[in-house]
Amino acid sequence: MSDAPSHDTAFVRDAMLPPAPAPASLAGPLGWLRRNLFSSWLNAALTLLSLALVAWLLAAVLPWIVHSSWTASSLSECRAQIKEAYGPEASGACWAVIRERWAQLIFGFYPSELYWRPILAFGIALGGMAPVLFPGVPRKVFYLSVAAPFLVPWLLWGGTVWLPVAVALGFVLGYAAFRLVTPFGGAILGTIAAALVPVMWWFWLAGPTSGQLQAVLPLGIEPVSSRSFGGFMLSVTIGVTAITLSLPFGILLALGRQSRMLIVKSICVGVIEFVRGVPLITLLFVAWLLLNYFMPPDTNFDIVLRVIIMVTLFASAYVAEVIRGGLAALPRGQYEAADALGLDYWKAQRLIIMPQALKISIPGIVSTFIGVFKDTTLVSIIGLLDPVGFSNSIRADVNWNGIVWELYGFIAALFFVFCFSMSRYSMYLERRLRTEHR
């Protein structure tokens, strides 16, 4: 027999090797570039072509932006300053028009000594939306959410404190009507009463009695006419109000369209199809010319309020169809699960159906909101001076006649900031609600 040692026992490692770093070509900025821009010869060619195009555009636009004038008082003076500073063949932007007219582009004809009021109003509006938009906000801020719908209009339009008190009292009367009617007529009649009583109360207040009642509460702030509204303040006022109100109204219209009650379904289908089949500009002309004919005599129905109603109705119809798509995308088992738990209709919608449908519908809803905000520029057709309307009036001034790119570029940049912010928030919301694999 051989005395050589036996090698029958397999080698077993008793310590793991440390993980090796990823190759430099697959990690870090170089890896990102390789994956996204140079993953194939076609992508590399398109990337180089795109970079060349961007470089060509920047080479043409940057000198025009930099070779500019900020101190001129007219377009001719602006061009003279640019040629004197950069040469007889130079051309540049005349940003002096923005420096001189930025207040009008932002606030319209709103009194300059009262600029603090719209700034405070929009700050309160953002603070009121914070508990709904961001989960980490303290719940005590919810009290600001309740007060914001009454404080913001009062700060913008001014007047006596009777205005926010009367509007809030309408909701109190609606709640009281619901509690009184429901025990005798059921939830449907109670809901109808809760909707009709505040509307009747507000229509009555819009009549001649309003002036007499305001004398009871003379305490207030300086009133500002709606004709003083303009610029981005007008666009934000209409856009934020329509976006905020169209979501709940759109949910109700979508649920009503799927209802088994014939009358409710017929009304909701009629409203949705009619509004979606009519251009927004037509609805704005209706708000401008015809809506007053349906009001009691001597009624003072504010033009901005009429526009807000029509834009809200227009947005609600489109939001309703987006949400109906989200409801149709839910599996039938979700409805059956709600029935198996013994939930009634409203609890099933609130706890199971609607959260999932809204999560599916987020991209479509935000797209609708962005479109509504951009459509606020159509109010210039009916005489309200939004940023585009103000740009036309500025260009009609003899000092700035002929200026185009600077005004429209400034307006486009501000609209881009608002719309891009909404788009990024929707992406954040989708990531936060993506709970399928958690």
Side-chain angles (χ1 to χ4, degrees):
M1 296 179 62
S2 174
D3 294 334
S6 174
H7 296 284
D8 295 339
T9 304
F11 175 77
V12 178
R13 183 181 297 277
D14 57 0
M16 297 296 295
L17 291 175
S25 60
L26 299 178
L30 184 61
W32 184 91
L33 290 173
R34 184 172 182 178
R35 288 192 307 270
N36 295 277
L37 300 180
F38 299 97
S39 59
S40 65
W41 68 268
L42 179 60
N43 285 347
L46 292 176
T47 298
L48 295 176
L49 182 62
S50 300
L51 290 176
L53 178 61
V54 170
W56 177 76
L57 290 174
L58 291 178
V61 174
L62 281 180
W64 179 81
I65 296 176
V66 175
H67 298 165
S68 58
S69 171
W70 289 87
T71 59
S73 58
S74 66
L75 182 59
S76 58
E77 182 181 351
C78 182
R79 289 172 176 171
Q81 289 181 357
I82 293 173
K83 293 182 182 299
E84 180 181 354
Y86 302 104
E89 301 297 329
S91 63
C94 187
W95 300 120
V97 65
I98 305 299
R99 178 191 59 81
E100 181 179 306
R101 299 297 184 97
W102 73 269
Q104 287 186 342
L105 290 171
I106 301 296
F107 296 102
F109 294 115
Y110 209 86
S112 58
E113 67 275 9
L114 300 179
Y115 283 169
W116 64 271
R117 279 168 44 179
I119 295 174
L120 178 60
F122 294 130
I124 291 175
L126 291 176
M129 291 187 291
V132 180
L133 299 178
F134 304 101
V137 178
R139 302 308 297 175
K140 290 184 179 180
V141 184
F142 184 74
Y143 294 108
L144 183 62
S145 304
V146 176
F150 311 107
L151 290 177
V152 171
W154 181 59
L155 286 172
L156 290 177
W157 277 274
T160 67
V161 294
W162 170 247
L163 174 64
V165 170
V167 174
L169 188 57
F171 289 101
V172 173
L173 293 175
Y175 177 74
F178 178 81
R179 295 300 300 269
L180 290 175
V181 175
T182 300
F184 305 100
I188 297 178
L189 291 180
T191 304
I192 295 174
L196 288 179
V197 170
V199 172
M200 295 174 62
W201 166 256
W202 293 327
F203 270 105
W204 179 66
L205 288 179
T209 314
S210 176
Q212 303 174 3
L213 293 175
Q214 289 182 12
V216 179
L217 294 173
L219 183 63
I221 54 180
E222 180 181 347
V224 178
S225 171
S226 292
R227 290 296 177 182
S228 299
F229 285 41
F232 273 95
M233 189 188 75
L234 178 63
S235 295
V236 172
T237 301
I238 298 173
V240 170
T241 306
I243 288 171
T244 305
L245 296 179
S246 64
L247 183 59
F249 288 155
I251 292 174
L252 293 177
L253 286 173
L255 294 177
R257 181 161 191 163
Q258 291 192 330
S259 175
R260 296 178 181 177
M261 294 183 287
L262 180 61
I263 297 178
V264 173
K265 182 175 182 178
S266 301
I267 293 175
C268 292
V269 170
V271 170
I272 292 172
E273 296 301 332
F274 173 77
V275 173
R276 292 178 70 241
V278 176
L280 178 59
I281 188 63
T282 304
L283 297 177
L284 293 178
F285 273 115
V286 170
W288 182 40
L289 295 173
L290 302 179
L291 209 56
N292 262 350
Y293 291 111
F294 297 95
M295 304 300 297
D298 300 326
T299 297
N300 182 20
F301 201 174
D302 190 87
I303 179 62
V304 175
L305 181 58
R306 282 180 272 167
V307 169
I308 288 175
I309 291 174
M310 286 302 178
V311 176
T312 301
L313 183 63
F314 181 81
S316 299
Y318 281 87
V319 171
E321 286 297 277
V322 173
I323 294 176
R324 186 169 71 92
L327 292 171
L330 286 182
R332 184 62 191 170
Q334 298 296 317
Y335 296 89
E336 295 172 353
D339 294 337
L341 291 173
L343 300 178
D344 60 20
Y345 177 80
W346 292 110
K347 285 185 178 180
Q349 293 293 336
R350 181 170 60 90
L351 299 176
I352 296 179
I353 306 301
M354 196 52 64
Q356 299 182 71
L358 290 177
K359 183 175 72 170
I360 296 172
S361 307
I362 286 174
I365 293 174
V366 175
S367 178
T368 302
F369 288 167
I370 292 175
V372 168
F373 184 71
K374 292 188 294 185
D375 285 344
T376 56
T377 56
L378 293 175
V379 299
S380 61
I381 304 297
I382 60 174
L384 295 178
L385 294 179
D386 70 309
V388 176
F390 257 114
S391 69
N392 294 331
S393 64
I394 293 172
R395 292 171 57 228
D397 187 350
V398 65
N399 291 325
W400 301 110
N401 190 7
I403 195 166
V404 177
W405 290 104
E406 293 85 345
L407 288 172
Y408 289 141
F410 177 73
I411 294 170
L414 288 183
F415 269 105
F416 173 79
V417 169
F418 280 100
C419 297
F420 183 72
S421 301
M422 285 191 281
S423 176
R424 299 304 297 180
Y425 174 77
S426 72
M427 297 174 66
Y428 154 77
L429 193 61
E430 287 184 77
R431 290 193 301 269
R432 184 165 66 87
L433 297 179
R434 191 175 296 158
T435 57
E436 310 84 64
H437 303 294
R438 294 181 187 174

